[in-house]
Structure formats: C-alpha cells, structure tokens
Amino acid sequence: MRETTAATTLDIRGVLAALPHRYPMLLVDRVARLERDASITAIKAVSINEPFFQGHFPGRPIMPGVLIVEALAQAAGVLAVESLGLSGSGKLVYFMAIEGAKFRKPVEPGVLLQLDVAFVQKRASVCKFAGRASIDGVLVAEANFTAMIADAPAA
C-alpha cells in the first residue's frame, strides 16, 4: 500500500513488484518507510520455517550472516528501484562489492529484523549503500555495499 506523502510504505505486493526475488530467496516482507533518493526501513520476519534453519544449526537455529547481508541488499534494491523509477522495467540490482561487514549478535527465529539502508552515492547504473540490521533497536549486523543496475540476462 502506497501513501502519497514523501515517505512511502510497501506491503508484500509492493515488495514483489519491486524485486524479482521469490521464495525461498525473498528476504524482505514489507517496507515500513521509504524516502526516495535517501533511505529505506524494511522488515524481515524471521520464522523457524525458513529452510536454512534446518542445517544452520540443528539445535541452535541462527540466520546465516550472508543472508542478513542479502536482506540488506534486497532492501537497497527496493530503494534503488523506487528511487530511480525502475519498477516494471525488468532491470536488476546486482551486488558488486561488500565492505566492512560486521556481525554483532546472532539472529534467531521469532524476531522482526529491521533493515535500515541509506544511499551513500547514487548514479544511474552504480549505487553505494550503508546498511544496518537491528532487532528491537539493538544492532545485529552492518555492511557497506555497492550495486550495479543492469538488464536481466537473456533467457
């Protein structure tokens, strides 16, 4: 659902329209706040039903750090697509670099993972982002990353 103010929210339908990812790789459930050309706050509901918890780790399920970074990148993808007016264009947002990734606390099932991402630099085809993941205001992971906007590969 979109609002007409400067800050926008997106439900799962809006997220699906902005991203090509689908289960089990879709890691953004909704967008709580999106300010075009600036930042996004997205939410991932971390459920015990996630397929990765079966093996990471049996008896102590922890969300893999690479998937936390991927969730931040997907939030950044929504921000880029919405800011650059690319929704429905078929363009994809690809990782180019990940820098300074730090994991502060384990992410376990049953939490709402808040994904805060801001533009550091924005160009037509390459964008840099700063991302922070938190639970109830406590930082659990952070990373800076660069992404490229490009056409989808030919089928």
Side-chain angles (χ1 to χ4, degrees):
M1 173 170 156
R2 293 187 182 201
E3 297 175 353
T4 57
T5 62
T8 299
T9 62
L10 297 174
D11 61 12
I12 190 61
R13 289 181 302 271
V15 172
L16 290 170
L19 293 176
H21 303 77
R22 296 298 181 261
Y23 178 84
M25 280 307 298
L26 181 63
L27 299 174
V28 173
D29 293 317
R30 65 183 166 88
V31 173
R33 189 186 113 289
L34 185 147
E35 290 185 42
R36 285 176 178 78
D37 303 317
S39 64
I40 187 170
T41 297
I43 304 297
K44 164 65 180 152
V46 182
S47 166
I48 190 63
N49 295 321
E50 308 282 353
F52 51 80
F53 282 134
Q54 291 179 27
H56 199 266
F57 298 101
R60 177 76 201 280
I62 296 172
M63 185 174 185
V66 295
L67 292 180
I68 297 169
V69 174
E70 173 65 22
L72 288 166
Q74 288 182 22
V78 174
L79 176 61
V81 164
E82 291 291 319
S83 294
L84 298 170
L86 300 175
S87 189
S89 70
K91 299 277 188 186
L92 297 178
V93 181
Y94 292 105
F95 260 137
M96 290 178 68
I98 303 167
E99 300 168 349
K102 294 181 179 146
F103 304 97
R104 310 283 185 191
K105 294 188 178 288
V107 175
E108 298 175 317
V111 300
L112 293 178
L113 186 63
Q114 182 172 310
L115 309 164
D116 292 297
V117 179
F119 277 116
V120 172
Q121 182 178 50
K122 180 171 63 88
R123 297 201 170 122
S125 62
V126 176
C127 299
K128 292 185 178 185
F129 304 93
R132 296 170 56 91
S134 60
I135 300 168
D136 294 329
V138 176
L139 181 67
V140 297
E142 60 189 318
N144 296 315
F145 44 95
T146 306
M148 172 179 62
I149 289 97
D151 292 325

